[in-house]
Amino acid sequence: MKNVQSVSAAPTRGQVARLILELGPSTAATLGSRLGLTPAAIRRHLDNLIAEGLIETRTARTYGNRGRGRPAKVFVITDAGRSAFEHAYDDLATNALRFLAEAAGPDAIAEFARRQLADLERRYAPAVATGDLAARVQALAEALSADGYAASAGPAPAIGGAGGRDGGGGSGAPGATGQGAAGEQLCQHHCPVAHVAAEFPQLCEAETEAFGRLLGTPVQRLATIAHGDGICTTHVTGTTHVTGPEMTSAGKAKGSAAVVQEGFFEAAGEGRATTDISSGSGGLLI
């Protein structure tokens, strides 16, 4: 919390840190010029930000002949500095959603979450449109990583006695349906909205539904960072039930809840009851 307070308590220092975040690696001269600060003033603010661990220095990259003199030194934001801004934005986003919930009710939060995920679906759809299930889940992980989710994908652990990606238990074993019988597993090691989603699980629910539509097969959210787990983990059922989302006139995908929920019974194993994803569960099995 000290870093967050440092950024907000000193307006000019916060402006310097924010400009580095926006511009990327920057020289002191560039920063001073953009903010209208003297060389002595910008150096003072940069030294304080370095002492607080919010920024660090690096040697500027040069291309071709650099010429004489020392290489330029640039200032870059650190993970702690980036986190300080993320927490500040979290507070603003949480307060905005609280107001929306009070003014329009919880259904408005769910609709907001779906609209936010609609852009993600449009951008990711071409990447996950081709290949077998494993390739498409891997493509989804790569797309998520590019957006800062640090995602990975691989064969899912066997559930309910099913084999691995090759079916494991043999063609005659119950639940073994050949390749992908156990399905795939998608892991997100970072969540940019975890603090907000902890209070508004509709964000997790909308994301899970979007994954189901993108992959065209039932998915099951097993854990979320927002719920206190270390990783957001999603099980992707190996048997495809849906070939593509059927759109309504309002632009929503029909049957999105079914895409998510149908997979629960299959992945849970015999004797395990199905569990609906609700706003109270945050997309988790409860």
Side-chain angles (χ1 to χ4, degrees):
M1 292 299 295
K2 178 181 177 182
N3 288 339
V4 179
Q5 294 170 352
S6 297
V7 171
S8 59
T12 303
R13 193 182 312 166
Q15 290 175 7
V16 174
R18 186 183 298 277
L19 188 58
I20 295 172
L21 179 67
E22 293 174 354
L23 297 180
S26 306
T27 63
T30 297
L31 297 168
S33 175
R34 292 286 294 267
L35 296 173
L37 298 174
T38 65
I42 190 65
R43 288 287 179 184
R44 184 173 66 254
H45 290 301
L46 291 170
D47 288 343
N48 286 332
L49 289 169
I50 290 173
E52 293 167 358
L54 299 175
I55 65 171
E56 62 185 11
T57 60
R58 294 180 186 171
T59 300
R61 292 182 178 180
T62 57
Y63 302 91
N65 295 325
R66 181 175 58 83
R68 296 180 178 180
R70 292 183 299 175
K73 183 170 63 175
V74 294
F75 299 85
V76 298
I77 203 78
T78 63
D79 289 341
R82 193 179 305 275
S83 178
F85 284 103
E86 288 176 355
H87 283 297
Y89 288 131
D90 283 348
D91 291 340
L92 177 62
T94 300
N95 288 333
L97 289 180
R98 285 173 184 164
F99 174 80
L100 180 61
E102 293 174 0
D107 288 345
I109 302 297
E111 179 62 22
F112 170 80
R114 285 191 291 268
R115 290 194 181 187
Q116 286 292 103
L117 268 295
D119 176 66
L120 177 146
E121 286 190 65
R122 283 192 295 269
R123 291 189 294 109
Y124 290 5
V128 302
T130 60
D132 61 14
L133 182 62
R136 288 186 287 119
V137 175
Q138 180 61 42
L140 177 57
E142 293 173 0
L144 287 166
S145 292
D147 279 346
Y149 288 87
S152 61
I159 298 177
R165 183 174 284 174
D166 61 355
S171 60
T177 57
Q179 182 177 358
E184 301 293 320
Q185 184 163 281
L186 176 68
C187 296
Q188 295 157 261
H189 302 267
H190 176 66
C191 177
V193 297
H195 291 84
V196 182
E199 183 171 342
F200 297 99
Q202 294 95 326
L203 300 176
C204 298
E205 180 183 350
E207 181 182 74
T208 307
E209 293 176 355
F211 290 170
R213 289 191 295 269
L214 282 166
L215 297 171
T217 189
V219 301
Q220 177 186 7
R221 182 58 61 85
L222 302 177
T224 65
I225 296 173
H227 194 261
D229 303 298
I231 302 172
C232 292
T233 306
T234 304
H235 177 85
V236 182
T237 302
T239 303
T240 302
H241 289 262
V242 182
T243 57
E246 181 182 354
M247 307 303 290
T248 66
S249 59
K252 298 179 183 177
K254 289 183 179 179
S256 60
V259 170
V260 177
Q261 293 170 8
E262 284 176 9
F264 283 1
F265 184 78
E266 296 177 20
E270 187 177 356
R272 178 90 174 266
T274 58
T275 306
D276 289 343
I277 289 182
S278 65
S279 59
S281 70
L284 292 172
L285 285 179
I286 53 174

